[in-house]
């Protein structure tokens, strides 16, 4: 059975890593925050994936048993607002670049998904070359409930499921099941035991040569070009949304009171 990557921290606070020859296992590890994406996780993931370009043939991205990744860390957003009043939002480019790295980097990226995936967590999933999920996992975009748009997620999600289904997920703000995710193309395979599913895939993928992987991904990216050409618009839209003080207030109120925007 493939073990989770929490055996070593590798000096990281938000990640647990394990290297097995040219396979790198990366577990997002913020159990106290449902694996929410904060500045530290972005910085550490960026550093790790940049280094992985040199030696890794396969990068396996994992979450926790109950939640893969729950999206942006609303607590951090609210704290920043309270500490600094309202300022310009964080630059979304570092997170977009992480997803771009997973999508275009010279290795095969695999998302091994258990439990719940929401908002920016869907970005991590959609960016990966291969997505394996456990039966019972689910995937959702909740941003519109807070007046937000998954601007940086959508280019990656559209590449996976197409524009109409990405639009439907955004508008409905409801999770889809693992079975739906496979039917729609967001996930590639599911099983009751996703660890065994990962093991079976690695038996095949580890036979590939890294130079061949690099050539394949370079060619695939030259065919679509959408993720790169859409980047500027995605970043601008994200910054515009998080520049709206009304949206930030909704997030802050939710953090303080637990009330959703439609209850406020």
């Amino acid at each position: 059975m493939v073990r989770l990557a929490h055996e070593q921290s590798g000096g990281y606070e938000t990640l647990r890593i394990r290297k097995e020859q040219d396979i790198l296992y990366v577990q997002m590890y913020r159990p106290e925050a449902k694996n929410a994406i904060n500045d530290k996780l972005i910085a550490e993931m960026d550093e790790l994936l940049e280094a992985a370009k040199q030696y890794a043939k396969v990068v396996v991205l994992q979450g926790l048993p109950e939640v893969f990744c729950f999206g942006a860390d609303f607590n951090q957003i609210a704290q920043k607002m309270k500490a600094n009043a309202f300022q310009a939002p964080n630059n979304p480019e570092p997170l977009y670049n992480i997803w771009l790295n997973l999508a275009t980097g010279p290795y095969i990226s695999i998302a091994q998904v258990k439990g719940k995936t929401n908002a920016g967590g869907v970005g991590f999933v959609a960016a990966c070359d291969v997505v394996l999920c456990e039966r019972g996992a689910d995937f959702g975009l909740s941003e519109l409930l807070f007046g937000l748009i998954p601007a940086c997620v959508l280019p990656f999600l559209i590449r996976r499921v197409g524009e109409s289904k990405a639009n439907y997920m955004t508008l409905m703000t409801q999770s889809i099941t693992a079975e739906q995710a496979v039917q729609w193309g967001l996930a590639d395979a599911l099983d009751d035991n996703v660890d065994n599913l990962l093991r079976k895939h690695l038996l095949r993928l580890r036979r590939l040569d890294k130079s061949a992987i690099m050539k394949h991904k370079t060619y695939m990216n030259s065919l679509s070009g959408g993720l790169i050409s859409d980047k500027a618009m995605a970043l601008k839209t994200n910054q515009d949304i998080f520049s709206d003080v009304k949206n930030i207030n909704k997030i802050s109120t939710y953090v303080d009171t637990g009330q959703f925007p439609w209850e406020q």
Side-chain angles (χ1 to χ4, degrees):
M1 178 181 292
V2 177
R3 296 167 293 173
L4 283 177
H6 60 248
E7 298 171 14
Q8 303 176 18
S9 69
Y12 297 109
E13 293 181 16
T14 66
L15 306 175
R16 297 293 183 269
I17 66 172
R18 177 167 61 88
K19 298 176 184 177
E20 187 179 282
Q21 297 177 337
D22 48 11
I23 299 176
L24 173 65
Y25 297 86
V26 184
Q27 183 190 27
M28 292 181 283
Y29 195 75
R30 298 192 68 221
E32 76 288 350
K34 297 183 180 179
N35 272 2
I37 305 166
N38 66 352
D39 293 342
K40 191 68 174 179
L41 187 146
I42 292 172
E44 291 185 342
M45 186 73 74
D46 177 66
E47 177 185 311
L48 183 62
L49 292 181
E50 281 299 317
K53 289 180 178 180
Q54 303 303 316
Y55 66 86
K57 182 189 298 184
V58 179
V59 174
V60 180
L61 186 61
Q62 301 167 317
L64 301 169
E66 300 82 15
V67 59
F68 179 77
C69 175
F70 207 66
D73 189 335
F74 276 9
N75 283 300
Q76 183 180 74
I77 294 172
Q79 288 169 5
K80 286 184 177 181
M81 182 178 181
K82 292 176 181 177
N84 305 314
F86 183 73
Q87 295 184 345
N90 287 342
N91 181 6
E93 187 168 15
L95 181 57
Y96 193 99
N97 284 343
I98 287 172
W99 296 339
L100 199 60
N101 200 335
L102 289 168
T104 67
Y107 47 72
I108 299 167
S109 54
I110 301 177
Q112 184 189 23
V113 183
K114 301 178 181 180
K116 183 171 288 295
T117 300
N118 183 59
V122 175
F124 275 107
V125 170
C128 286
D129 297 311
V130 177
V131 178
L132 309 176
C133 62
E134 192 169 70
R135 203 177 304 276
D138 61 60
F139 307 81
L141 297 175
S142 61
E143 286 90 339
L144 215 58
L145 293 173
F146 293 88
L148 310 175
I149 300 172
C152 291
V153 174
L154 282 171
F156 297 89
L157 184 60
I158 288 170
R159 184 184 69 141
R160 268 272 175 183
V161 305
E163 186 172 337
S164 62
K165 287 184 173 59
N167 184 53
Y168 183 80
M169 286 184 68
T170 302
L171 294 176
M172 295 307 298
T173 67
Q174 290 181 320
S175 295
I176 64 171
T177 65
E179 289 79 6
Q180 282 179 288
V182 171
Q183 290 171 4
W184 289 10
L186 178 55
D188 297 298
L190 67 88
D191 198 283
D192 292 327
N193 189 328
V194 73
D195 291 332
N196 282 340
L197 188 62
L198 174 63
R199 179 184 58 80
K200 292 175 183 178
H201 277 73
L202 290 177
L203 286 174
R204 298 288 303 182
L205 295 173
R206 70 197 330 153
R207 299 175 182 176
L208 302 180
D209 180 75
K210 183 171 174 63
S211 63
I213 294 169
M214 293 172 61
K215 291 175 182 177
H216 166 70
K217 292 194 70 172
T218 299
Y219 174 66
M220 288 291 289
N221 292 321
S222 70
L223 288 178
S224 64
L227 297 179
I228 295 173
S229 61
D230 289 343
K231 178 180 176 180
M233 179 61 71
L235 297 180
K236 181 181 183 303
T237 302
N238 182 281
Q239 289 180 315
D240 288 346
I241 291 164
F242 280 94
S243 294
D244 189 334
V245 67
K246 293 185 295 184
N247 293 337
I248 302 302
N249 281 332
K250 291 175 185 177
I251 291 173
S252 184
T253 301
Y254 171 73
V255 170
D256 290 341
T257 68
Q259 286 186 312
F260 290 102
W262 63 89
E263 299 172 327
Q264 296 171 17

